[in-house]
Amino acid sequence: MRVVIQRCKYAELFIDNEKFSCIDKGMMILLAVEDSDTQQDIDWLVKKILGLRIFDDENGVMNLDINQTNGQIMVVSQFTLFASTKKGNRPSYLRSSKPEFSEPMYEKFLLTLKTAFAKPIATGRFGADMQINLCNDGPVTIIIDSKIKE
């Protein structure tokens, strides 16, 4: 699994020009699934995400995690995070799982995150054409791949 996390002041997601979900200060998380992913990848990522100290303390130092700031989380599935651009100019998405596997894994990720975070999680709709407006705070953007744990 691969995630891109953006610390944000707000994020709002639209489907068919209608606001579907939104959050205030917190994390916008884009998630991609590959065929080799397991519940162990989910568990490791959720623990890593919730422990990330990317929010400023009273001294302006990134020293606080999402729970310490009463932040919110939005998670959106995005298969393009596994794009390969090695050949030509048209990205290949062969590493991304097909929906038959990735949608249940996305749902398992959400369930695991909801259980560990104990607050509502905003989402998009799997496979939908979505538009997201957000204010990246910092900017702070973190990329984590569950297969690269070094």
Side-chain angles (χ1 to χ4, degrees):
M1 284 188 166
R2 181 173 290 166
V3 293
V4 172
I5 302 165
Q6 296 181 70
R7 185 179 77 177
C8 62
K9 291 187 181 276
Y10 68 85
E12 52 187 8
L13 184 142
F14 294 84
I15 300 174
D16 296 328
N17 294 319
E18 292 188 25
K19 189 182 287 189
F20 185 81
S21 62
C22 62
I23 62 169
D24 291 323
K25 179 181 151 187
M27 293 178 171
M28 171 68 210
I29 301 174
L30 304 172
L31 171 75
V33 176
E34 62 182 322
D35 290 343
S36 62
D37 289 331
T38 66
Q39 184 65 45
Q40 287 179 318
D41 292 288
I42 293 171
D43 293 341
W44 183 83
L45 264 178
V46 165
K47 183 177 178 183
K48 181 64 85 171
I49 289 167
L50 295 180
L52 279 179
R53 298 184 326 173
I54 61 170
F55 295 93
D56 292 348
D57 63 16
E58 65 278 357
N59 298 314
V61 177
M62 287 195 291
N63 204 27
L64 303 176
D65 65 35
I66 187 85
N67 285 305
Q68 294 171 307
T69 62
N70 200 29
Q72 297 178 308
I73 297 175
M74 179 182 288
V75 179
V76 177
S77 176
Q78 187 177 0
F79 73 95
T80 61
L81 295 181
F82 280 122
S84 173
T85 57
K86 288 182 181 179
K87 295 182 180 178
N89 292 321
R90 183 176 180 176
S92 167
Y93 304 106
L94 293 176
R95 193 167 161 201
S96 294
S97 292
K98 302 278 187 257
E100 298 78 33
F101 181 76
S102 58
E103 185 171 10
M105 289 299 284
Y106 169 74
E107 294 297 332
K108 287 179 184 180
F109 178 86
L110 289 175
L111 180 61
T112 303
L113 184 60
K114 286 177 184 178
T115 301
F117 190 51
K119 287 171 70 172
I121 306 290
T123 66
R125 184 182 307 138
F126 188 90
D129 181 23
M130 298 171 273
Q131 291 71 48
I132 301 169
N133 294 327
L134 69 95
C135 179
N136 189 321
D137 183 17
V140 174
T141 303
I142 309 288
I143 301 169
I144 304 174
D145 192 311
S146 66
K147 304 299 189 236
I148 305 171
K149 296 178 179 157
E150 302 166 2

